[in-house]
Amino acid sequence: MLELNAVQNNTALDQDSGSQTDEVKELMNKQQLTGAQIVMQVLQQQGVDSIFGYPGGAIMPIYDALYDSDIKHYLCRHEQGVAFAAVGYARAGRKTAVCMATSGPGATNLITGLADAYADSIPLVAITGQVPTTAMGTDSFQEVDIISLAMAATKHCFQVTCVDDLQSVLEQAFAIAGSGRQGPVLVDIPKDIQLASTLLTAKTELAITPIPQFSQATMAIAKTLISEASKPVLYVGGGVGMAGAVEELRAFAQTTGMPSVSTLKGLGAVDPECDCFLGMLGMHGLKAANLAVQECDLLVAVGARFDDRVTGKLAEFAPHAKVIHLDIDVAEINKRRCADAALIGDLKTMLPELMTDLKIVAWRKHCTSMKLDYAYDYNYPGEDIYAPAVLKALSDVTPKTAILTTDVGQHQMWATQHMVFSRPENFLSSGAIGTMGFGLPAAIGAQISRPDALVITVTGDGSIMMNIQELATLKRYQIPVKIVLIDNSRLGMVRQWQELFFSERYSEIDLSDNPDFVALAAAFEIKSQRITKKSEVEAALTEMMSHQGPYLLQISIDEYHNVWPLVPPDTANHEMIEASS
Amino acid sequence: MNHSTLIIKANNQPTVMERLMQVTRYRGFSINKLNMQKLSDKDLEIIMSVDSRNPIENLSRQLLKLVDVVDISISNS
Ligand SMILES: Cc1ncc(C[n+]2csc(CCOP(=O)(O)OP(=O)(O)O)c2C)c(N)n1
């Protein structure tokens, strides 16, 4: 195809002196672009104004084209930071994000972020440089078979081996990433393809796979199940936010009056002020949420997938319930729990159709009183700082429009239990694969996506060290992210499990030799403060919130604090442990 | 054990066979017999017999999500 182009051009030149056909004239008027310039053009056509990346040998032509482009590039300090910043950008802005890396180690460093995006269904387009096609398959310098590596961590991957395909491949990548059940797509572009010339053509019309249409017969069955239920529960997953169906879900919850529970990724979908919203269910779910699900006679699962962290022992999960399962992905149906009625399609259209009036006054009363009876007790004796109380206090002073990201561990679970989320795009946490190191770069991406929002990340002293280099990104772009570091000098969640399930044999969880975080922040010119006493919390939160730029608040807590309740592995959700024995 | 045969129509892309194998292994299905044939420059037909404890729909639905898989039919022989 490359040669073909050259031939066409020669033809055009040959005919220059003589009579030109209109076609040839038109061809001449069109500008020849390099593959690298095509990348920039397609990004702009797709409405991309910010990208995250890290350069290197095999992607240099693209970085050269970027030099002339209006697209704003954010240089993170590790490709994992690049990928998570893109995830944060996509999730906070509900749009497809773009990240770039060079071949070999650059590309492999993206993989964890891609796997995270794939598992949480986040739309990304990852562009990687590759060694020239002539060198491919010869173990050349910085050559890694990224297609094979990325295959299990992406919705799809492309390797472009002809410059004439580049534009349409990139357009397809955006279409695939952003449609149906969303996810990351990788486009691997060899260096010679980036340098080769071709013509930019009109945007190709892509045959988008249509959204599946639910069956009316199943809808009727589902409606009957709802009208016959006396103890229904709405089980809300991340799919609601992904489908942009928050309003429809809230209307459904209000009209039916069904008590609701949420997965980690579903938080923010249900109106948190709704008195029948019982909070997160599952391993560290709230007691009322888990008990309601165990008691219910109908579970309406909306954009949720019966993950093992949600269900506990599957055979004993919601044992009396019939199930209505609504999802865009038919592969989720009957995967872990069989559905009595499965509705495949767009939640935005299905939820309004399913809406039915219900008379479940006694059940609602029961659920709201469980919520009150089992409400968390924030009183904690002594001078020490109590993480649940701090996070509640943080939540109380955080505006509804703020974005919260977390890392992974106890601090993450405390955040889900004690903070209030008003929209799914305001709570970004690595759900499906629980990736430590997510919080800081995701917060950076979220802030770039929504510059006017307040962005806070709640992290742990283990997690923050996994992408600590991104403090340099905060500094460089003066991104005003507030870092709340819950510091227990331990890999707290692992420590808790060793305490409970491994006879207190504390293996490799001690982080008490961590660096001085205040000094570390100072090295990046980030304002910070460490607090150790309850009495310091209020003033410290006020100072952090009123500071204009990035800020790190290190909150030292006792290493032995645990997350309660906890449903032990392979145990039914009503058999939770509520305190250390 | 459930035995099933899948007849898969796919786009002739360099990545498609590898991805089919990857998803099949990951979802817990073992392959007994496999035949791949190019029907045209653009199209492949893959006939694959698999065993698993899991219902075949758990695999066929996952495979059908792949961008380059066009169609799947199942026979339980
Ligand atoms: C990349 C990665 N490695 C390991 C783990 C396993 N893991 C889960 S929680 C945890 C401890 C996290 O410690 P920290 O960030 O300090 O949070 P804490 O639990 O103390 O709040 C570990 C090691 C993980 N989730 N992700």
Side-chain angles (χ1 to χ4, degrees), chain A residues 80 112 407-414 433-437 459-466 485-496 508-509 511 514 557 563:
Chain A
Q80 189 180 107
T112 302
D407 262 298
V408 173
Q410 293 179 309
H411 64 277
Q412 175 193 33
M413 291 300 116
W414 283 321
I433 71 166
T435 319
M436 289 170 70
T459 182
D461 53 304
S463 295
I464 197 170
M465 290 297 283
M466 285 221 176
L485 168 56
I486 307 289
D487 180 9
N488 50 13
S489 302
R490 296 293 180 282
L491 292 172
M493 187 58 98
V494 180
R495 194 212 59 76
Q496 177 170 353
E508 301 296 328
I509 47 82
L511 300 182
N514 257 333
I557 63 163
V563 182

Side-chain angles (χ1 to χ4, degrees), chain A residues 118-446:
Chain A
Y118 188 41
D120 276 339
S121 310
I122 310 304
L124 297 190
V125 172
I127 296 171
T128 48
Q130 183 53 282
V131 302
T133 50
T134 47
M136 274 164 53
T138 67
D139 311 308
S140 69
F141 178 63
Q142 291 194 331
E143 181 182 14
V144 162
D145 181 2
I146 196 63
I147 294 297
S148 200
L149 276 172
M151 210 167 258
T154 53
K155 193 172 171 188
H156 194 61
C157 27
F158 292 99
Q159 189 168 56
V160 184
T161 50
C162 168
V163 72
D164 293 333
D165 298 340
L166 181 59
Q167 180 184 349
S168 107
V169 163
L170 287 165
E171 286 166 358
Q172 285 177 65
F174 277 92
I176 294 166
S179 60
R181 181 171 179 173
Q182 300 168 29
V185 178
L186 181 126
V187 183
D188 194 37
I189 314 177
K191 194 170 183 179
D192 54 331
I193 305 294
Q194 299 170 38
L195 291 166
S197 302
T198 189
L199 295 171
L200 187 71
T201 55
K203 205 166 162 232
T204 33
E205 286 305 316
L206 296 169
I208 299 282
T209 333
I211 293 179
Q213 270 303 317
F214 62 88
S215 115
Q216 283 297 347
T218 318
M219 181 59 78
I221 295 170
K223 284 180 124 161
T224 311
L225 287 174
I226 291 182
S227 57
E228 285 169 2
S230 52
K231 297 194 261 174
V233 167
L234 190 58
Y235 153 42
V236 178
V240 173
M242 301 306 301
V246 170
E247 307 316 330
E248 289 76 5
L249 180 93
R250 290 182 179 187
F252 183 86
Q254 202 181 5
T255 305
T256 60
M258 264 185 217
S260 55
V261 299
S262 172
T263 68
L264 180 114
K265 229 191 119 204
L267 288 171
V270 182
D271 180 356
E273 269 147 41
C274 173
D275 58 358
C276 258
F277 173 57
L278 307 175
M280 191 172 81
L281 82 165
M283 179 174 274
H284 288 296
L286 300 183
K287 188 171 178 179
N290 277 336
L291 292 185
V293 171
Q294 291 304 86
E295 256 183 79
C296 76
D297 64 358
L298 177 72
L299 198 58
V300 182
V302 189
R305 59 190 177 86
F306 298 87
D307 172 67
D308 55 294
R309 281 292 189 270
V310 159
T311 61
K313 189 174 189 177
L314 187 60
E316 292 173 33
F317 176 68
H320 318 293
K322 297 218 160 133
V323 170
I324 301 176
H325 196 169
L326 292 80
D327 208 288
I328 196 165
D329 182 0
V330 67
E332 291 303 343
I333 306 301
N334 302 343
K335 187 181 86 177
R336 301 235 325 136
R337 169 83 180 235
C338 285
D340 298 275
L343 293 165
I344 311 304
D346 186 356
L347 298 179
K348 267 178 103 64
T349 51
M350 295 194 295
L351 282 167
E353 285 231 22
L354 191 60
M355 210 134 77
T356 323
D357 276 327
L358 268 175
K359 288 200 179 57
I360 44 168
V361 183
W363 171 240
R364 279 179 59 89
K365 238 174 144 179
H366 174 63
C367 289
T368 39
S369 63
M370 277 204 293
K371 182 177 171 176
L372 292 175
D373 291 350
Y374 303 136
Y376 211 84
D377 180 7
Y378 292 98
N379 289 317
Y380 184 78
E383 274 294 283
D384 279 358
I385 297 177
Y386 186 45
V390 170
L391 292 175
K392 182 168 189 313
L394 174 65
S395 191
D396 289 344
V397 296
T398 301
K400 274 188 179 172
T401 51
I403 301 166
L404 187 95
T405 79
T406 73
D407 262 298
V408 173
Q410 293 179 309
H411 64 277
Q412 175 193 33
M413 291 300 116
W414 283 321
T416 63
Q417 293 176 333
H418 308 297
M419 299 189 72
V420 171
F421 307 103
S422 53
R423 304 281 306 183
E425 60 271 24
N426 291 351
F427 176 58
L428 317 182
S429 190
S430 171
I433 71 166
T435 319
M436 289 170 70
F438 175 91
L440 176 56
I444 290 172

Side-chain angles (χ1 to χ4, degrees), chain B residues 19-49:
Chain B
R19 185 99 204 222
L20 282 172
M21 298 300 97
Q22 178 246 320
V23 174
T24 304
R25 173 187 50 74
Y26 173 66
R27 296 291 168 184
F29 288 75
S30 64
I31 302 174
N32 297 324
K33 194 171 164 193
L34 179 68
N35 181 65
M36 187 274 265
Q37 201 185 349
K38 211 167 114 174
L39 298 182
S40 72
D41 279 350
K42 287 191 166 161
D43 306 296
L44 299 179
E45 183 184 73
I46 298 114
I47 302 177
M48 182 163 87
S49 302

Side-chain angles (χ1 to χ4, degrees), chain A residues 551-567:
Chain A
Y551 194 97
L552 185 148
L553 176 60
Q554 178 186 3
I555 302 178
S556 295
I557 63 163
D558 187 291
E559 65 187 81
Y560 289 108
H561 286 181
N562 282 333
V563 182
W564 305 118
L566 178 150
V567 178

